[in-house]
mmCIF file of all heavy atoms in Angstrom:
data_model
loop_
_atom_site.group_PDB
_atom_site.id
_atom_site.type_symbol
_atom_site.label_atom_id
_atom_site.label_comp_id
_atom_site.label_asym_id
_atom_site.label_seq_id
_atom_site.Cartn_x
_atom_site.Cartn_y
_atom_site.Cartn_z
ATOM 1 N N ILE K 1 110.788 112.664 120.543
ATOM 2 C CA ILE K 1 109.419 112.157 120.412
ATOM 3 C C ILE K 1 109.441 110.637 120.272
ATOM 4 O O ILE K 1 108.604 109.936 120.841
ATOM 5 C CB ILE K 1 108.707 112.814 119.210
ATOM 6 C CG1 ILE K 1 108.386 114.274 119.535
ATOM 7 C CG2 ILE K 1 107.447 112.052 118.826
ATOM 8 C CD1 ILE K 1 107.880 115.084 118.353
ATOM 9 N N ALA K 2 110.430 110.139 119.534
ATOM 10 C CA ALA K 2 110.517 108.695 119.311
ATOM 11 C C ALA K 2 110.924 107.928 120.565
ATOM 12 O O ALA K 2 110.471 106.797 120.767
ATOM 13 C CB ALA K 2 111.506 108.401 118.179
ATOM 14 N N ILE K 3 111.759 108.523 121.432
ATOM 15 C CA ILE K 3 112.296 107.739 122.549
ATOM 16 C C ILE K 3 111.680 108.053 123.908
ATOM 17 O O ILE K 3 111.732 107.223 124.805
ATOM 18 C CB ILE K 3 113.835 107.868 122.641
ATOM 19 C CG1 ILE K 3 114.257 109.317 122.908
ATOM 20 C CG2 ILE K 3 114.496 107.337 121.391
ATOM 21 C CD1 ILE K 3 115.749 109.476 123.168
ATOM 22 N N TYR K 4 111.094 109.237 124.067
ATOM 23 C CA TYR K 4 110.544 109.609 125.373
ATOM 24 C C TYR K 4 109.065 109.255 125.467
ATOM 25 O O TYR K 4 108.394 109.037 124.450
ATOM 26 C CB TYR K 4 110.733 111.101 125.644
ATOM 27 C CG TYR K 4 112.165 111.533 125.853
ATOM 28 C CD1 TYR K 4 112.559 112.823 125.583
ATOM 29 C CD2 TYR K 4 113.131 110.657 126.332
ATOM 30 C CE1 TYR K 4 113.863 113.244 125.778
ATOM 31 C CE2 TYR K 4 114.446 111.066 126.530
ATOM 32 C CZ TYR K 4 114.799 112.358 126.250
ATOM 33 O OH TYR K 4 116.092 112.765 126.448
ATOM 34 N N GLU K 5 108.577 109.283 126.699
ATOM 35 C CA GLU K 5 107.164 109.015 126.944
ATOM 36 C C GLU K 5 106.323 110.046 126.188
ATOM 37 O O GLU K 5 106.574 111.239 126.254
ATOM 38 C CB GLU K 5 106.886 109.114 128.449
ATOM 39 C CG GLU K 5 105.440 108.861 128.796
ATOM 40 C CD GLU K 5 105.146 109.079 130.267
ATOM 41 O OE1 GLU K 5 106.074 109.355 131.048
ATOM 42 O OE2 GLU K 5 103.970 108.995 130.621
ATOM 43 N N ARG K 6 105.333 109.551 125.467
ATOM 44 C CA ARG K 6 104.494 110.459 124.683
ATOM 45 C C ARG K 6 103.002 110.242 124.911
ATOM 46 O O ARG K 6 102.172 110.902 124.283
ATOM 47 C CB ARG K 6 104.830 110.373 123.206
ATOM 48 C CG ARG K 6 104.614 109.034 122.564
ATOM 49 C CD ARG K 6 105.064 109.063 121.103
ATOM 50 N NE ARG K 6 105.155 107.740 120.546
ATOM 51 C CZ ARG K 6 106.183 106.920 120.697
ATOM 52 N NH1 ARG K 6 107.224 107.292 121.393
ATOM 53 N NH2 ARG K 6 106.175 105.729 120.159
ATOM 54 N N GLY K 7 102.657 109.300 125.788
ATOM 55 C CA GLY K 7 101.248 109.033 126.037
ATOM 56 C C GLY K 7 100.577 108.517 124.787
ATOM 57 O O GLY K 7 101.143 107.697 124.059
ATOM 58 N N VAL K 8 99.381 109.018 124.511
ATOM 59 C CA VAL K 8 98.634 108.558 123.335
ATOM 60 C C VAL K 8 98.768 109.534 122.169
ATOM 61 O O VAL K 8 98.092 109.386 121.156
ATOM 62 C CB VAL K 8 97.139 108.348 123.683
ATOM 63 C CG1 VAL K 8 96.981 107.228 124.695
ATOM 64 C CG2 VAL K 8 96.508 109.630 124.188
ATOM 65 N N GLN K 9 99.620 110.529 122.321
ATOM 66 C CA GLN K 9 99.790 111.531 121.274
ATOM 67 C C GLN K 9 100.407 110.926 120.027
ATOM 68 O O GLN K 9 101.236 110.012 120.106
ATOM 69 C CB GLN K 9 100.696 112.657 121.761
ATOM 70 C CG GLN K 9 100.085 113.533 122.806
ATOM 71 C CD GLN K 9 101.100 114.546 123.288
ATOM 72 O OE1 GLN K 9 101.542 114.450 124.413
ATOM 73 N NE2 GLN K 9 101.478 115.487 122.436
ATOM 74 N N LYS K 10 100.013 111.482 118.891
ATOM 75 C CA LYS K 10 100.609 111.082 117.618
ATOM 76 C C LYS K 10 100.446 112.226 116.618
ATOM 77 O O LYS K 10 99.732 113.181 116.867
ATOM 78 C CB LYS K 10 99.973 109.798 117.094
ATOM 79 C CG LYS K 10 98.487 109.880 116.869
ATOM 80 C CD LYS K 10 97.925 108.551 116.418
ATOM 81 C CE LYS K 10 96.417 108.695 116.207
ATOM 82 N NZ LYS K 10 95.836 107.476 115.709
ATOM 83 N N VAL K 11 101.127 112.092 115.507
ATOM 84 C CA VAL K 11 101.012 113.079 114.437
ATOM 85 C C VAL K 11 99.668 112.853 113.754
ATOM 86 O O VAL K 11 99.303 111.719 113.446
ATOM 87 C CB VAL K 11 102.169 112.939 113.430
ATOM 88 C CG1 VAL K 11 102.037 113.939 112.300
ATOM 89 C CG2 VAL K 11 103.518 113.091 114.125
ATOM 90 N N SER K 12 98.944 113.934 113.492
ATOM 91 C CA SER K 12 97.617 113.800 112.875
ATOM 92 C C SER K 12 97.735 113.408 111.404
ATOM 93 O O SER K 12 98.736 113.691 110.739
ATOM 94 C CB SER K 12 96.836 115.103 112.995
ATOM 95 O OG SER K 12 97.374 116.080 112.128
ATOM 96 N N LYS K 13 96.681 112.797 110.902
ATOM 97 C CA LYS K 13 96.629 112.428 109.487
ATOM 98 C C LYS K 13 96.624 113.675 108.603
ATOM 99 O O LYS K 13 97.194 113.675 107.517
ATOM 100 C CB LYS K 13 95.407 111.559 109.214
ATOM 101 C CG LYS K 13 95.510 110.187 109.823
ATOM 102 C CD LYS K 13 94.289 109.344 109.556
ATOM 103 C CE LYS K 13 94.457 108.003 110.265
ATOM 104 N NZ LYS K 13 93.274 107.172 110.147
ATOM 105 N N THR K 14 96.003 114.725 109.098
ATOM 106 C CA THR K 14 95.979 115.978 108.337
ATOM 107 C C THR K 14 97.395 116.516 108.140
ATOM 108 O O THR K 14 97.782 116.899 107.029
ATOM 109 C CB THR K 14 95.121 117.034 109.070
ATOM 110 O OG1 THR K 14 93.808 116.515 109.257
ATOM 111 C CG2 THR K 14 95.065 118.332 108.293
ATOM 112 N N SER K 15 98.164 116.523 109.197
ATOM 113 C CA SER K 15 99.542 117.003 109.119
ATOM 114 C C SER K 15 100.378 116.123 108.189
ATOM 115 O O SER K 15 101.140 116.635 107.366
ATOM 116 C CB SER K 15 100.157 117.039 110.517
ATOM 117 O OG SER K 15 101.454 117.550 110.468
ATOM 118 N N LEU K 16 100.242 114.825 108.324
ATOM 119 C CA LEU K 16 100.984 113.907 107.446
ATOM 120 C C LEU K 16 100.571 114.092 105.984
ATOM 121 O O LEU K 16 101.421 114.018 105.083
ATOM 122 C CB LEU K 16 100.774 112.464 107.886
ATOM 123 C CG LEU K 16 101.439 112.078 109.204
ATOM 124 C CD1 LEU K 16 101.039 110.656 109.610
ATOM 125 C CD2 LEU K 16 102.942 112.206 109.113
ATOM 126 N N THR K 17 99.298 114.358 105.742
ATOM 127 C CA THR K 17 98.818 114.599 104.381
ATOM 128 C C THR K 17 99.423 115.878 103.810
ATOM 129 O O THR K 17 99.877 115.907 102.661
ATOM 130 C CB THR K 17 97.270 114.687 104.363
ATOM 131 O OG1 THR K 17 96.741 113.470 104.871
ATOM 132 C CG2 THR K 17 96.748 114.944 102.964
ATOM 133 N N ILE K 18 99.451 116.920 104.618
ATOM 134 C CA ILE K 18 100.027 118.201 104.168
ATOM 135 C C ILE K 18 101.509 118.031 103.843
ATOM 136 O O ILE K 18 101.982 118.453 102.777
ATOM 137 C CB ILE K 18 99.821 119.292 105.229
ATOM 138 C CG1 ILE K 18 98.342 119.663 105.324
ATOM 139 C CG2 ILE K 18 100.673 120.524 104.926
ATOM 140 C CD1 ILE K 18 97.995 120.527 106.530
ATOM 141 N N VAL K 19 102.254 117.406 104.740
ATOM 142 C CA VAL K 19 103.693 117.208 104.529
ATOM 143 C C VAL K 19 103.938 116.340 103.298
ATOM 144 O O VAL K 19 104.815 116.641 102.473
ATOM 145 C CB VAL K 19 104.346 116.609 105.793
ATOM 146 C CG1 VAL K 19 105.755 116.133 105.513
ATOM 147 C CG2 VAL K 19 104.339 117.627 106.920
ATOM 148 N N SER K 20 103.164 115.291 103.142
ATOM 149 C CA SER K 20 103.312 114.423 101.967
ATOM 150 C C SER K 20 103.026 115.185 100.679
ATOM 151 O O SER K 20 103.750 115.045 99.688
ATOM 152 C CB SER K 20 102.375 113.218 102.069
ATOM 153 O OG SER K 20 102.692 112.440 103.192
ATOM 154 N N ALA K 21 101.968 115.997 100.690
ATOM 155 C CA ALA K 21 101.622 116.787 99.498
ATOM 156 C C ALA K 21 102.722 117.785 99.161
ATOM 157 O O ALA K 21 103.074 117.968 97.986
ATOM 158 C CB ALA K 21 100.293 117.507 99.715
ATOM 159 N N VAL K 22 103.297 118.410 100.182
ATOM 160 C CA VAL K 22 104.368 119.389 99.954
ATOM 161 C C VAL K 22 105.577 118.713 99.309
ATOM 162 O O VAL K 22 106.114 119.203 98.305
ATOM 163 C CB VAL K 22 104.764 120.076 101.284
ATOM 164 C CG1 VAL K 22 106.088 120.809 101.158
ATOM 165 C CG2 VAL K 22 103.665 121.016 101.740
ATOM 166 N N TRP K 23 106.023 117.594 99.853
ATOM 167 C CA TRP K 23 107.212 116.941 99.321
ATOM 168 C C TRP K 23 106.952 116.258 97.980
ATOM 169 O O TRP K 23 107.836 116.200 97.118
ATOM 170 C CB TRP K 23 107.829 115.985 100.339
ATOM 171 C CG TRP K 23 108.458 116.759 101.450
ATOM 172 C CD1 TRP K 23 108.048 116.828 102.747
ATOM 173 C CD2 TRP K 23 109.589 117.638 101.356
ATOM 174 N NE1 TRP K 23 108.856 117.687 103.460
ATOM 175 C CE2 TRP K 23 109.805 118.194 102.636
ATOM 176 C CE3 TRP K 23 110.437 118.017 100.326
ATOM 177 C CZ2 TRP K 23 110.835 119.099 102.911
ATOM 178 C CZ3 TRP K 23 111.463 118.916 100.590
ATOM 179 C CH2 TRP K 23 111.656 119.440 101.861
ATOM 180 N N LEU K 24 105.719 115.788 97.756
ATOM 181 C CA LEU K 24 105.366 115.236 96.448
ATOM 182 C C LEU K 24 105.376 116.339 95.393
ATOM 183 O O LEU K 24 105.901 116.149 94.289
ATOM 184 C CB LEU K 24 103.991 114.557 96.507
ATOM 185 C CG LEU K 24 103.494 113.957 95.195
ATOM 186 C CD1 LEU K 24 104.442 112.845 94.716
ATOM 187 C CD2 LEU K 24 102.088 113.409 95.361
ATOM 188 N N THR K 25 104.835 117.495 95.738
ATOM 189 C CA THR K 25 104.867 118.639 94.827
ATOM 190 C C THR K 25 106.306 119.048 94.517
ATOM 191 O O THR K 25 106.652 119.323 93.359
ATOM 192 C CB THR K 25 104.099 119.832 95.431
ATOM 193 O OG1 THR K 25 102.754 119.431 95.682
ATOM 194 C CG2 THR K 25 104.123 121.036 94.517
ATOM 195 N N ALA K 26 107.148 119.075 95.535
ATOM 196 C CA ALA K 26 108.560 119.424 95.322
ATOM 197 C C ALA K 26 109.235 118.409 94.398
ATOM 198 O O ALA K 26 110.024 118.782 93.519
ATOM 199 C CB ALA K 26 109.291 119.500 96.656
ATOM 200 N N ALA K 27 108.924 117.133 94.579
ATOM 201 C CA ALA K 27 109.510 116.088 93.721
ATOM 202 C C ALA K 27 109.052 116.247 92.272
ATOM 203 O O ALA K 27 109.859 116.145 91.337
ATOM 204 C CB ALA K 27 109.141 114.708 94.254
#
């Protein structure tokens, strides 16, 4: 994803929020 053509796609803020909440809870 980092090196190949990806157009305008990106990770959503919702997904980043969920992942952040999960790892913060684990911490």
Side-chain angles (χ1 to χ4, degrees):
I1 288 171
I3 62 173
Y4 292 154
E5 180 185 356
R6 62 183 167 278
V8 295
Q9 290 176 250
K10 59 183 180 177
V11 179
S12 72
K13 290 179 183 175
T14 303
S15 183
L16 290 174
T17 301
I18 291 168
V19 168
S20 298
V22 165
W23 289 112
L24 179 62
T25 301

